[in-house]
Amino acid sequence: MRKDYSLEKRKYIIGGFITLIVIIYIIRLFNLQIADNNLKEIADSNAFLRRTIYPARGLMYDRNGELVVFNQPAYDVMMIPRDVENFDTIAFCRTLNISVEQLRAYWADMKDPRKNPGYSSYTPQKLISHLSQEDYGRLQEKLYLFPGFFIQKRTIRQYQHNAAANVLGNIREVSASDIERDSYYRSGDYTGDLGVEKSYEPYLRGEKGVEILMKDSRGRIKGKFDEGRHDRSPSAGRNLTLSIDIKLQEYGERLMQGKKGAIVAIEPATGEILAMVSSPTYDPSLLVGKQRGKNYRALVNDSHRRPLFNRALQAAYPPGSTFKPTQALIFLQENIVTTGTAFPCYGGYVNRGLKVGCHGHASPIAVRPALETSCNAYFCWGFKNMIDKRGTKPADQLNKWKDYLVEMGYGYKTGVDLPSESRGFIPNAEFYSKSYRGANWSGNTIISVSIGQGEILATPLQIANLSALIANRGYFYTPHVVKAIQDTTLPKEFTTRRVPHIDKKHYDVVAEGMRMAVTGGTCRTANLPGLNVCGKTGTAQNPHGKDHSAFMGFAPMNDPKIAICVYVENAGFGATYGVPIGTLMMEMYLKGEISAEHKDLEQRMINAKTF
Amino acid sequence: MELRNDNKTNTSMFRSIDWMTIVLYMALVIMGAISIYAASYDFDNASIFSFQEFSGKQITWIGLSLIIGCGILLIDYRIYESYAYPIYIGMLLLLVVTIFIAPDIKGSRSWLVFGPVSLQPAEFAKFATALALAKLFSSYNFVLNHKASNYFRALIIIFLPIILILMQKETGSALVYISLIFVLYREGMSGMVLFSMVCAIAYFVITVKYSMPLIMGIPNGEFIVFVLIILVFIGMLILFCKDLIVARNIFIGYLVSIGIIYVLSLFDIQINGRIYFLSTLIAALVYTSISMFRHRIDKHLITIGFVIVSVVFMFSTNYVFNNVLQPHQQNRIKVTLGTIEDTRSVGYNVNQSKIAIGSGGVTGKGFLNGTQTTLKYVPEQHTDFIFCTIGEEHGFVGSVTVLIIYLALILRIIYLAERQRTAFGRVYAYCVASYLILHLSINIGMVIGLCPVIGIPLPFFSYGGSALWGFTILLFILLRIDASRKERRD
């Protein structure tokens, strides 16, 4: 047969056609399989259910091993939106005892990008949190009716004592910014808020585990992926032993009820905080579970009592006369005075038309009795002599003065292991140059700082820390509320001594002065038999109202076990509230009970209301 | 001596079999069985040979195919030529019978059930139709282009099975026979027909896919098609009519008209695109028909006709799509063209199969490690969507390998076709190639989301005895004819 060669060439067209198609398909496969990573993610979310296993959060014990904070189970309703098919909404709502409107609101919240920035229809999302045990049981039974939904077990906090809310803090759901800041968090996780829960979050939270399950096209779980080889078991958070003595803390809170203010008690030898009371306070269990949001808003909005404000370390008060021991130490160290130097006081400090009043006591007066009687004039003269010392510039002298105070823990954050600490305020020369707008200033013009008034501000924690410094005769540890962390050591800053450049002998002088204040001076109430209490009152003037009542002290004098600061706002003389409360706290801690003769005092303090 | 002679003929037949085709065939069949095992693997670790599983059954079907293949090779090749028409007619009768006695399975009546075994006659009608077509073209002095009735006879042979299979509601299988247009093309049909088909598909897709935004007051799809029609018009004048002068003048005319439109637009005068294109096309066509008498008129007439038909086609496409097709049919087309996203109903299979393939990456997740496959995310994965398994578990490398093997097989068959000394052999071989081209293009195109979902299997690969045997018979008859090509003395 004759071949038609022109037609034979058409084999190239036909062969070329299929070759072209195959090339197009290969390009398409390249795009799908190599260029497009999206499909891999979708495939994973198709097939894998990454179920997070939450670790148990670390527990908290007090210094005596008593359990303070522990966990209770909580159940969240989770869903993967794209796996959810049309389900019986009414039955769902009935199972959970909620209205359809509520469900709709939960649904809207879940999808709201502001409330839930991590929303994706491919990943597990939290619809409802904190089911009650009964709701959980009912839903668990009927869960098969609602494909795409599952229950996530978590733990929430429970508190053994209604105390120390300001120290313990609480946990809350993570916010958008938390998720942004720390890749550990996923939407719906919890994180510590306020207190130890916040500052020790990395220890407490542990490591989340993950379980990778396979689900088939109908959402049925087909077992673990790769026999669980890619799973990670959670590691529980570390338990904390607090330095807080929960009994003492509770007692302090009782004493402070009805009053605004704070108590800080420190073990001088270690810097461990034994009690940190901020009043008014709140029940920590208010900030747990379903009601948290509502209660939290109520606490935030309580602008009169401000219960969330941790006065022990956030409030900066004028320290008043509790500041005087620092002045005595500085003057002695700077050789402005010796133990024998006496200054005149006839009703106060009078110099160049300026008068700082004082109260009746013998005159002239040296350092120990000045502390005993809390003589304003003595410290004003000392301060004036230091700042206006001949041959020096006031600015240099003031900065030197300030540096001592900074070494003693004033003017900057002490570094306590709790969030939101205030630094207080100690002015330096630059501050006065600015506030006097270049005009001359001298020790005389700024004299009130020497008695803890004027610009000086300090937190009760800083004052308590000063007390510990004097108790130790020359050193202190950064105060802290956590005594031990499970399986690891405390951060170094809490075990390193901080030593101001002041000789030990000067502390002895100051301690003796403070002892005299207790035995025969301003705080005689604190004279507990056999305990050798040293103390210093403070009555801080305050432009907004009645004077603040303050007390600082430690005991026993030569083997100090407790150093304390009590600060009661608008309560008058230091001796009225500060001293009695401080005394009762020390007695309770050192003796374990209140003696019969102090029972009346105790009742009076508990019942007293100052606002 | 007699024995030795016999041996010699057997050996020569054995030697002249195209082993390359057999190797490619075996490769596809074996990879198919392995993929079916993977696609139906369900963690209970059933053996690949278990008859309870699709893979075990498929291996049985493969065994039977090899027996059938050997049988075909042993039968005298002349039988196929001599009995081509009877086989064809017998198969048509079987198709007719099937319409009436087949049970309704998912709306289609195409399966004959014999106890545990079901057969789909449509799969076997392929080789019968190929034989009949080959027989027609090998009849004495048959040249396709000599008489219009030759076309008619060829189209009858092609369309009878199409009609019967459509009556079985197996649209996909029926569509396969359209591929025989390639055979007609090879045997002399004008290339214009193929070209028109390509144009028609392109115009249709563009018109339907792009309806927004408007350009010059008409949908951008319509705009693009108008531009294409003008380009094809000018192209045909140059390449087909060799009339460079007219082409040049029309081209210049369009440049001028675009300039005018631009100037008018500066004065804020908008011209409706439809009016512009229709008026300029009419002007160009009138100009062409006036100037065509200087040349051979027939090519110019074809060109003019082509342009007119294109415009009419475009408008009728739009009309049919919007007013004749049911909404669900419109949806199906739109999903395929990607104008609407659909991951639940119509597009579910395609979406899942794209996910499965796309998740395979370069080298795949490994045998039996494909999550989408083993967790049954892709429906019909052992049959029509079997390519997903390759894509997911063996990745880009695996998918391309499979495609290349198919391409090699098809090109090999075209090569075999051209080395035949008889029209019968050649036409038959081209029929085989055409079926494979269509099956491969549609099946893979569907799985990777480039074609509409038309349920036809991937030859040699997909699960199912009927399809496998149908293709095996088709291919082995070709091998048998090819093996004896030297014995023919025409």
Side-chain angles (χ1 to χ4, degrees), chain A residues 285-340:
Chain A
S285 54
L286 283 176
L287 297 186
V288 169
K290 242 179 183 168
Q291 301 304 314
R292 185 185 193 280
K294 202 184 73 189
N295 291 337
Y296 186 77
R297 270 193 301 282
L299 290 174
V300 167
N301 292 335
D302 187 351
S303 57
H304 178 56
R305 299 171 66 243
R306 297 181 71 196
L308 288 175
F309 183 62
N310 188 357
R311 291 175 163 76
L313 49 77
Q314 286 180 282
Y317 297 112
S321 301
T322 64
F323 197 58
K324 287 172 182 163
T326 63
Q327 302 304 297
L329 289 169
I330 294 170
F331 302 159
L332 288 165
Q333 180 68 27
E334 282 292 303
N335 281 322
I336 305 298
V337 298
T338 64
T339 52

Side-chain angles (χ1 to χ4, degrees), chain B residues 200-331:
Chain B
I201 293 171
Y203 293 167
F204 174 78
V205 168
I206 293 169
T207 319
V208 173
K209 181 164 175 144
Y210 303 103
S211 55
M212 274 303 184
L214 301 181
I215 300 177
M216 289 174 73
I218 55 174
N220 59 349
E222 191 179 329
F223 183 88
I224 295 167
V225 171
F226 266 125
V227 173
L228 281 179
I229 290 173
I230 292 165
L231 291 178
V232 167
F233 183 22
I234 297 173
M236 282 176 77
L237 284 172
I238 298 169
L239 297 172
F240 183 61
C241 310
K242 314 265 192 273
D243 191 343
L244 294 176
I245 299 161
V246 174
R248 185 198 65 200
N249 291 344
I250 290 177
F251 183 68
I252 291 169
Y254 269 103
L255 286 183
V256 171
S257 72
I258 292 168
I260 292 170
I261 287 193
Y262 177 72
V263 171
L264 286 178
S265 73
L266 293 179
F267 296 97
D268 257 350
I269 302 171
Q270 299 292 340
I271 293 193
N272 181 278
R274 203 168 287 158
I275 294 170
Y276 164 75
F277 281 115
L278 286 178
S279 54
T280 52
L281 271 175
I282 288 170
L285 289 174
V286 169
Y287 167 67
T288 312
S289 43
I290 292 168
S291 56
M292 74 183 172
F293 295 104
R294 279 182 267 146
H295 300 266
R296 285 184 55 194
I297 341 176
D298 52 349
K299 290 195 171 178
H300 281 76
L301 277 178
I302 290 173
T303 307
I304 291 168
F306 191 84
V307 171
I308 293 171
V309 170
S310 296
V311 173
V312 171
F313 175 79
M314 182 188 73
F315 283 120
S316 54
T317 297
N318 244 334
Y319 180 80
V320 168
F321 186 80
N322 291 322
N323 305 310
V324 178
L325 289 187
Q326 303 289 320
H328 73 268
Q329 291 167 320
Q330 292 181 7
N331 265 1

Side-chain angles (χ1 to χ4, degrees), chain A residues 393-404:
Chain A
K393 287 186 196 146
D396 295 344
Q397 288 296 94
L398 185 76
N399 282 343
K400 195 185 274 176
W401 175 84
K402 179 215 73 180
D403 289 342
Y404 281 117

Side-chain angles (χ1 to χ4, degrees), chain A residues 356-412:
Chain A
V356 177
C358 195
H359 33 81
H361 55 72
S363 174
I365 192 165
V367 62
R368 289 191 189 89
L371 284 168
E372 177 191 353
T373 58
S374 198
C375 173
N376 286 342
Y378 179 88
F379 294 98
C380 290
W381 284 117
F383 183 73
K384 184 193 171 324
N385 289 357
M386 173 167 178
I387 302 301
D388 300 341
K389 188 176 176 184
R390 199 168 303 150
T392 63
K393 287 186 196 146
D396 295 344
Q397 288 296 94
L398 185 76
N399 282 343
K400 195 185 274 176
W401 175 84
K402 179 215 73 180
D403 289 342
Y404 281 117
L405 287 165
V406 168
E407 283 183 338
M408 288 186 257
Y410 286 89
Y412 288 89

Side-chain angles (χ1 to χ4, degrees), chain A residues 10 25 28 43 46 82 215, chain B residues 185 189 344 372 377 441:
Chain A
R10 292 188 167 185
Y25 286 4
R28 171 73 167 181
N46 252 348
R82 59 167 245 158
K215 61 180 167 55
Chain B
Y185 170 69
M189 186 187 73
R344 280 282 172 197
Q372 311 302 295
Y377 276 90
S441 318

